[in-house]
Amino acid sequence: MGGQCYEWSRLDLGRIGGALAGLGSSDADGVLSVSLAEEPISDDALRRLLEGYRRVDRLLAGRIGLFSYGAAGQLLELNHIVLCGVTPERRAQFGDHIAETARVFYERPGIGDLTDWYKRNRGRAPRNVAAGLFLRLVSTPQLFVEGNSRTACLLASYHLARCGLPPLVIGVESFARYAEVLRRTEAVDRTSFSSLFTAEFVASRLAGLIEATGDPSFLLDAAPTGAVGSGGSG
């Protein structure tokens, strides 16, 4: 089958929240967090990540194309959510960080590079496109100041659900495999010609992870929409 997308599926946020809660309860000693050298997998961090999935679901419900003209701010907002939450109080608390993240996001060529890559590759199989998007956020140079891997999970999930496939949700059973693939992804330097083969290998591992962890129960029932219309990501 080709990569043409015909579905705008919705996310089952209850089931996704349950999977994230299970991951948090299994990391009471912080071992999983240390293995990723990231923010601890706390209840607060997981709530913010779930808010990110909630935002993705709203994008899907509105048929909003993240790669349409003028939509870059939607992707930036996903990063703000996973790092700073959605409440006015937290946004005020992290105002300086939000402003710096936005400055870097728009001044670096990263968003243009990501959009160009998507336009060249959007006809590929959806899991391969999702893996490529994940890689381009997490490998060097990264798109955001912080929170690239969590934002990458959300972006991959958006594309997958848009194509009628289960989102990328990491639970207890898949965490070890995810951590190993993530480390490989972070080690890829896209500015180096010698890393081209490595990038393709890592992308294939990512696509395999996406397929292996794809749980249909994370999707709500969705009806086909026919061909991609004006709200599409192209």
Side-chain angles (χ1 to χ4, degrees):
M1 295 179 63
Q4 183 72 21
C5 300
Y6 294 101
E7 305 269 359
W8 287 83
S9 296
R10 299 290 302 279
L11 305 183
D12 189 325
L13 296 169
R15 288 187 178 274
I16 292 174
L20 296 179
L23 181 62
S25 63
S26 72
D27 194 36
D29 55 5
V31 172
L32 300 184
S33 305
V34 171
S35 73
L36 293 179
E38 288 190 346
E39 177 183 6
I41 304 176
S42 63
D43 290 343
D44 182 52
L46 292 172
R47 276 194 295 269
R48 281 181 268 126
L49 183 55
L50 182 58
E51 286 294 342
Y53 282 105
R54 192 180 309 280
R55 181 71 175 195
V56 167
D57 186 59
R58 289 173 60 188
L59 295 172
L60 293 165
R63 306 293 199 269
I64 296 173
L66 279 180
F67 296 100
S68 299
Y69 179 76
Q74 299 284 356
L75 179 55
L76 181 60
E77 175 62 15
L78 290 179
N79 183 255
H80 290 335
I81 289 172
V82 298
L83 290 175
C84 306
V86 297
T87 65
E89 294 79 11
R90 284 190 66 94
R91 290 300 176 98
Q93 179 183 358
F94 293 99
D96 290 344
H97 171 84
I98 289 172
E100 176 63 12
T101 298
R103 183 190 67 79
V104 171
F105 178 79
Y106 286 114
E107 288 186 0
R108 289 179 182 173
I111 183 59
D113 175 70
L114 180 70
T115 300
D116 290 345
W117 182 91
Y118 173 80
K119 289 179 178 178
R120 294 194 307 270
N121 291 273
R122 60 186 173 184
R124 299 172 62 191
R127 291 188 182 92
N128 291 336
V129 176
L133 292 171
F134 188 104
L135 184 142
R136 300 197 81 79
L137 261 67
V138 175
S139 59
T140 302
Q142 294 188 333
L143 187 60
F144 298 105
V145 176
E146 295 181 68
N148 286 277
S149 61
R150 281 166 284 173
T151 310
C153 283
L154 297 178
L155 180 58
S157 295
Y158 163 85
H159 183 75
L160 290 164
R162 185 196 155 163
C163 296
L165 295 174
L168 175 58
V169 180
I170 303 304
V172 177
E173 297 81 5
S174 56
F175 186 88
R177 181 175 178 181
Y178 169 74
E180 186 271 332
V181 175
L182 181 60
R183 282 192 290 269
R184 289 178 178 270
T185 308
E186 291 174 331
V188 172
D189 183 352
R190 301 193 315 278
T191 65
S192 171
F193 179 79
S194 61
S195 71
L196 292 178
F197 176 79
T198 303
E200 286 298 318
F201 172 75
V202 171
S204 69
R205 296 291 294 271
L206 281 166
L209 172 70
I210 289 169
E211 182 171 14
T213 59
D215 186 344
S217 72
F218 291 142
L219 287 181
L220 298 175
D221 292 336
T225 61
V228 174
S230 60
S233 295

